[in-house]
Every structure is written in C-alpha cells, then in structure tokens.
Amino acid sequence: MPGRVDLVLLLFGLAALAGIWFTGRIIDRALRRLVLAGLTVFGLAALSLGLGGATPPLFYLAIVLWGLAFGGAATQLQTASADAAGHEADLAQAMLTAVFNLAIFGGGALGAALLDTVGPAAFPWAVLALAAVASITALSARGHGFPPGPRPSTDR
C-alpha cells in the first residue's frame, strides 16, 4: 500500500513475534502439525495477495498471515532437521544453512525473472505454488522428517 510501509512493517513484525511465540509454545508437542499449519497460513497469505492484494483489508490480512507463518518457520525447520539427523544434527544444521542461502539466491533469481517477464502480479501465485510443493514435501516426510515419538537427544 503506497505510503504505508510503516504500518506494513509494524503488522508483519508483530505477527512474526506472535508466530515465534506460538512456535515456542507447541513445537515440542506438535512439530509436524505446526509445520503443515505454517505452510497453510503462508499459502493463505499468498492467496489473499493474489486475489485481493489491491484491497487494503485483504492486503493487511495477508501481511499478518505472512508474518505469523514466517515468524516460527526457521525454528520449525531447524528442529525438524535436527530431529531427522539425530546425532548428526550439527551437519544437518550446516546443510540447512546452505539450503537457506540457495533459497535466497533462487528466490531472487526467480523473482527477477518473473518481474521481468510477467510483472509483480505473478509473485503471489509463484509463492502459492512453492508453498504447495513444500506442503507436499512435509506431508510425505512423516517417517524421516518428523520421526514419531519423543524428540531424540543430540547429546554425545
């Protein structure tokens, strides 16, 4: 929304803090459901931007949803990675950092290509497609990415 960057950043920041808080409250009990819910909320934010991004209430709703999903995402992914890796959690965290950096590069490259060819209206739909791929990945990772039972110890 032109001229309201301050409000957008405030709403996103407050929602991200709420997402971090919520993640901290339930991550030990419901990691997989938390990841799936976060991806769903992220997809809803993209859908809101795609369908009504020019409408102020839908735009601000999308910003809040995006902040909620984004706030705890890194913690959720790091926890899932460490759980899946067990005693090799240090290696998994290093790999996750590399994947984050590749994702930043890839997002920038894809965003530039979309901006150059289709325009910014394509962004929400690209995000929605990526959220769908991530959701399918998380849904299919039940056994390895989200091992059942209590959280494994990484003590050596």
Side-chain angles (χ1 to χ4, degrees):
M1 308 277 31
R4 293 311 322 242
V5 173
D6 58 338
L7 180 58
V8 170
L9 292 175
L10 176 66
L11 289 173
F12 181 84
L14 291 174
L17 284 173
I20 292 167
W21 176 83
F22 187 72
T23 293
R25 296 282 299 163
I26 69 167
I27 196 166
D28 286 332
R29 295 187 312 274
L31 175 60
R32 183 169 184 264
R33 286 182 288 173
L34 186 61
V35 168
L36 293 171
L39 288 167
T40 300
V41 170
F42 197 62
L44 288 172
L47 188 61
S48 295
L49 286 172
L51 295 176
T55 307
L58 283 177
F59 176 81
Y60 292 121
L61 172 65
I63 295 303
V64 169
L65 291 173
W66 181 16
L68 282 170
F70 181 80
T75 301
Q76 295 165 23
L77 293 173
Q78 288 175 326
T79 303
S81 172
D83 284 357
H87 291 292
E88 299 298 329
D90 292 342
L91 177 60
Q93 296 307 302
M95 291 174 62
L96 188 61
T97 300
V99 169
F100 279 161
N101 286 322
L102 285 171
I104 292 167
F105 163 76
L110 177 62
L114 287 174
L115 187 60
D116 192 42
T117 58
V118 184
F123 290 169
W125 306 112
V127 168
L128 188 58
L130 291 170
V133 169
S135 295
I136 290 167
T137 302
L139 280 168
S140 65
R142 182 178 198 98
H144 295 290
F146 303 95
R151 173 143 294 113
S153 172
T154 56
D155 296 334
R156 295 193 174 153

